[in-house]
Amino acid sequence: MMLKVFRFSPGMEKPRYDTFAIEPAPGKTVLAALFEAQSRYDDSLAFRYSCRGAVCGTCAMLINRVPRLACRTRLGALSAGDSDPPHSHYDLPHLTEPWDKKEEVLVEPLPNLPVIKDLIVDMDEFFTRYRSVEPVFRPGGPDPEKERLMTPEAVRELERYTTCILCAACFAACPVNGKNPRYTGPAALAKLYRFHIDPREQQGPARLRTADTPDGWWACEFHTNCRRVCPKDVPPDKAIGHARQELKDLKKKETGPGGDGA
Ligand code: SF4
Ligand code: FES
């Protein structure tokens, strides 16, 4: 098995690709293969990781042109072609490197974020947009005597969004992000929706309205790449769809019967 890896360091005129032979082993992950390449061939190979258990979100990278967690992606599954999420086309004009899909695994940094070195990207833009939705729990109403109770249904609905590990795979896979640097982005919008539906906040439509802008809820084109690449099955596209519908309903109510709620 060969690992074909994107290489870039500040000062290089243009990136290059290096190919490393990796010992096959059952269950070996792309992250383990990167460690092997680093220790056997080139200790300057740079990549990011922390938990090695699909929890911290730091090892997201483009693997065979799909954003995935390196620590959770097995080489064997890639060569068998059984772990490709269905993925609608998105335009990556700068990524044209060909690779032998039978023999090689192609590893590149996440798109839509600047490369610092090799597979390490600068996450500032991702977190700037994430922070723009003020992702902080703000309990509303009077303080209860004990805990703030939720129904099991409300918890289940909330948990669809709380499992996000901020890996930025959705951010990388989103074609709208690629062309609109002002777009709030799928992870941040999913988080905003998570707080909107939290029954303990009781803020009415206030949260929804913060992204009621052309670059917020309304910028999404529903390519649905975000949901399909998310390693935690968060559905940002569903959150965006629900938010838009709620806003339309609100506008209809405000303009009265016969009003144009578009
Ligand atoms: S929504 Fe999914 S893909 Fe996007 S940052 Fe969160 S965990 Fe990663
Ligand atoms: S190393 Fe933490 S998610 Fe992969």
Side-chain angles (χ1 to χ4, degrees):
M1 169 64 70
M2 308 298 284
L3 204 61
K4 186 167 185 175
V5 185
F6 177 99
R7 305 299 306 271
F8 175 78
S9 295
M12 275 170 68
E13 216 166 273
K14 56 180 190 164
R16 66 168 200 270
Y17 285 79
D18 287 347
T19 304
F20 306 106
I22 299 298
E23 293 293 330
K28 185 176 274 187
T29 63
V30 172
L31 185 62
L34 287 168
F35 278 118
E36 187 177 327
Q38 195 185 50
S39 63
R40 283 178 61 194
Y41 303 109
D42 184 349
D43 62 7
S44 73
L45 176 61
F47 49 94
R48 200 183 262 142
Y49 74 98
S50 180
C51 70
R52 303 180 77 166
V55 174
C56 72
T58 54
C59 71
M61 52 189 74
L62 207 60
I63 300 170
N64 285 1
R65 293 270 151 81
V66 176
R68 314 174 207 241
L69 298 180
C71 72
R72 197 178 86 161
T73 306
R74 288 175 299 115
L75 292 172
L78 287 171
S79 55
D82 69 358
S83 72
D84 272 352
H87 207 284
S88 70
H89 169 76
Y90 60 101
D91 198 15
L92 297 169
H94 58 299
L95 294 179
T96 54
E97 183 70 13
W99 85 101
D100 178 343
K101 291 182 185 174
K102 283 213 169 74
E103 300 295 328
E104 294 174 335
V105 168
L106 183 66
V107 188
E108 297 165 298
L110 288 182
N112 297 340
L113 291 162
V115 178
I116 296 173
K117 180 171 163 44
D118 298 338
L119 303 170
I120 297 179
V121 291
D122 184 342
M123 297 283 282
D124 277 0
E125 188 57 35
F126 173 76
F127 283 110
T128 298
R129 297 198 215 173
Y130 177 69
R131 284 189 208 100
S132 76
V133 303
E134 301 186 16
V136 181
F137 175 58
R138 295 196 199 102
D143 286 345
E145 267 183 41
K146 289 187 180 171
E147 67 270 43
R148 292 172 191 271
L149 294 174
M150 288 196 285
T151 64
E153 295 76 38
V155 172
R156 264 197 298 278
E157 187 57 19
L158 209 59
E159 279 177 346
R160 299 178 79 194
Y161 303 101
T162 52
T163 48
C164 172
I165 54 173
L166 300 175
C167 67
C170 56
F171 192 94
C174 176
V176 181
N177 260 345
K179 63 186 179 190
N180 179 0
R182 293 175 310 281
Y183 177 38
T184 309
L189 287 173
K191 187 63 74 173
L192 182 57
Y193 187 71
R194 168 253 175 278
F195 285 111
H196 165 62
I197 61 172
D198 192 322
R200 300 164 299 176
E201 284 223 345
Q202 300 178 30
Q203 292 207 34
R207 288 273 197 184
L208 274 189
R209 288 199 160 118
T210 59
D212 185 13
T213 62
D215 297 322
W217 305 117
W218 303 100
C220 174
E221 295 170 1
F222 293 109
H223 295 269
T224 72
N225 288 354
C226 54
R227 171 164 42 94
R228 288 185 273 168
V229 301
C230 177
K232 296 294 172 182
D233 296 328
V234 177
D237 59 322
K238 301 256 184 241
I240 294 166
H242 291 316
R244 283 192 190 187
Q245 191 54 52
E246 279 190 52
L247 283 165
K248 280 185 188 167
D249 292 345
L250 273 173
K251 280 172 197 168
K252 256 192 203 142
K253 254 195 210 159
E254 286 162 5
T255 51
D260 179 5

